[in-house]
Amino acid sequence: MSMKWNELGEISCPIARSLSILGDRWTLLIIRNSFLRTRRFDDFQKQLGITRHLLTERLNRLVEHKILVKVLYQEAPKRYEYKLTERGLALYPIILALSSWGNTWMNDENKYPEIVYTHKDCGHETRPMMKCECCNEPLTAKNTLSSIK
């Protein structure tokens, strides 16, 4: 018995449930551009080269799942901006992780410029990393166990 894509949100795995909303390239690119302060439909479309139909579908899904909120910015004609909610802002570590992985593994011969991050609080250039909340050591596949409770 095979599972349909739209049924992923109903299973016990948190990764599968997340992928039911975020699991396509357009959605992640919309979220990436939202962090780069893109807000308006036409700007998303120009920057991403996505069709109006697909963009409408993806934006509606992100609004439905409270990742973005649709805010009226013009009355006549009605025009909206899409802003990240707290739930949407919580996706930033995922964008950082994908960016870091891409900088390291998808840039053969340093063909592309790297995305560089600066921590605003201390002013230093930094690389994203996940750490243990107790001992502050980096979390890696080799030193971390996963289980379902």
Side-chain angles (χ1 to χ4, degrees):
M1 180 175 174
S2 66
M3 179 169 293
K4 293 181 180 160
W5 183 251
N6 62 354
E7 295 172 339
L8 282 178
E10 304 301 318
I11 66 175
S12 63
C13 175
I15 296 170
R17 289 193 312 273
S18 298
L19 285 174
S20 73
I21 301 165
L22 307 170
D24 70 84
R25 66 179 174 191
W26 292 120
T27 300
L28 286 174
L29 292 174
I30 290 166
I31 291 166
R32 176 204 63 191
N33 282 33
S34 294
F35 281 111
L36 295 172
R37 294 181 181 80
T38 301
R39 301 281 180 263
R40 297 181 179 177
F41 187 96
D42 289 339
D43 293 334
F44 281 114
Q45 188 181 25
K46 281 181 219 162
Q47 292 167 8
L48 299 173
I50 185 174
T51 66
R52 294 184 75 76
H53 171 76
L54 272 177
L55 180 56
T56 298
E57 186 179 283
R58 297 314 189 272
L59 287 170
N60 286 342
R61 184 176 344 139
L62 291 168
V63 169
E64 174 188 343
H65 289 282
K66 298 179 176 112
I67 293 166
L68 295 175
V69 63
K70 193 173 174 178
V71 178
L72 185 70
Y73 73 86
Q74 179 180 305
E75 271 298 331
K78 288 194 185 285
R79 298 216 185 260
Y80 296 90
E81 290 185 328
Y82 296 87
K83 296 184 178 182
L84 289 160
T85 62
E86 285 300 311
R87 184 180 285 198
L89 291 168
L91 292 169
Y92 196 60
I94 294 168
I95 298 299
L96 285 175
L98 285 170
S99 167
S100 181
W101 187 85
N103 278 344
T104 302
W105 299 105
M106 298 301 294
N107 197 2
D108 296 338
E109 301 169 13
N110 294 318
K111 183 176 169 182
Y112 305 103
E114 283 192 17
I115 295 176
V116 178
Y117 294 95
T118 302
H119 186 225
K120 287 196 276 185
D121 290 350
C122 72
H124 287 92
E125 206 172 278
T126 188
R127 293 193 179 273
M129 90 179 345
M130 297 201 49
K131 294 183 178 185
C132 174
E133 66 181 314
C134 292
C135 69
N136 214 27
E137 289 296 315
L139 297 175
T140 68
K142 292 181 180 180
N143 73 5
T144 306
L145 297 174
S146 301
S147 61
I148 297 174
K149 283 187 172 183

